Amino acid sequence: MMRLVNECFFTSEKLANFLFTLSNESYTFGSPWSKEQFKIDIGSEQSGYLILEEEKVVAYLCYHQFLDEMEIFNFAISPQAKRKGYGNFLLNRLNQLALAEQVEQIILEVRLSNKAAQELYLKNGFEIVSSRKNYYIKPCEDALVMIKKREARTKE
């Protein structure tokens, strides 16, 4: 049974280990952040984490909120949990939070080679707005910048 973890009862050290391990398994080129970077980020007031678990943590989405903008920093789904709708679920939940917080846009960068992620983002209302040359290292690769603008509310 999958559940969204709202309250986390792990220490930041233990959660950082879980997230680092999941990232390392999920990203083609290994985790973009170290355990220490996760630990520091978990303690940041701007950071938010949406975490899905079954028997263990199977997916997470890390975002930062600055005034009326959110940025997705890390988003990983364990290889065994892919193609189960978890990515759509987490993006939908983030969109609900963004609407509640009156966020104007959600921004992210994605590797040029990561076609599956690009497809997921496009399906969830993101648009490609630009690219960043040599944005990623290990290996060096360009990034696409994608933005989802706030959905206009219908007048009743």
Side-chain angles (χ1 to χ4, degrees):
M1 182 169 144
M2 179 212 40
R3 71 184 184 111
L4 181 64
V5 180
N6 292 322
E7 292 295 326
C8 190
F9 300 103
F10 302 118
T11 64
S12 60
E13 180 89 33
K14 194 167 190 174
L15 181 57
N17 284 336
F18 283 142
L19 298 179
F20 174 78
T21 301
L22 179 59
S23 290
N24 232 15
E25 292 173 358
S26 304
Y27 285 98
T28 304
F29 305 108
S31 179
W33 285 4
S34 68
K35 288 179 192 176
E36 190 60 28
Q37 285 173 302
F38 275 111
K39 188 176 171 187
I40 290 167
D41 190 67
I42 289 165
S44 169
E45 282 188 28
Q46 286 90 18
S47 294
Y49 283 81
L50 299 175
I51 301 169
L52 288 178
E53 69 174 14
E54 286 177 335
E55 291 82 39
K56 62 178 188 168
V57 175
V58 294
Y60 76 89
L61 187 154
C62 163
Y63 65 93
H64 291 185
Q65 184 173 344
F66 305 100
L67 303 172
D68 65 349
E69 183 174 285
M70 284 181 171
E71 183 170 358
I72 296 174
F73 274 79
N74 279 309
F75 187 9
I77 301 169
S78 76
Q80 301 81 8
K82 289 193 178 184
R83 301 278 177 216
K84 292 186 176 181
Y86 295 167
N88 285 318
F89 178 85
L90 288 173
L91 287 172
N92 189 4
R93 183 67 186 113
L94 182 67
N95 192 53
Q96 291 171 5
L97 289 171
L99 288 172
E101 294 285 324
Q102 298 185 339
V103 166
E104 291 298 322
Q105 66 183 14
I106 304 170
I107 188 170
L108 61 87
E109 292 91 13
V110 61
R111 281 185 181 272
L112 189 59
S113 64
N114 193 344
K115 301 298 183 195
Q118 291 169 37
E119 187 178 304
L120 175 67
Y121 296 134
L122 289 168
K123 191 167 106 180
N124 280 276
F126 285 82
E127 296 177 9
I128 298 168
V129 293
S130 66
S131 64
R132 294 190 173 148
K133 192 105 176 111
N134 302 324
Y135 181 77
Y136 291 102
I137 54 173
K138 297 182 187 173
C140 186
E141 186 174 355
D142 294 353
L144 293 178
V145 178
M146 299 183 80
I147 290 179
K148 180 176 183 175
K149 297 280 187 189
R150 182 174 175 181
E151 295 172 3
R153 294 190 181 238
T154 56
K155 293 181 181 175
E156 296 177 13

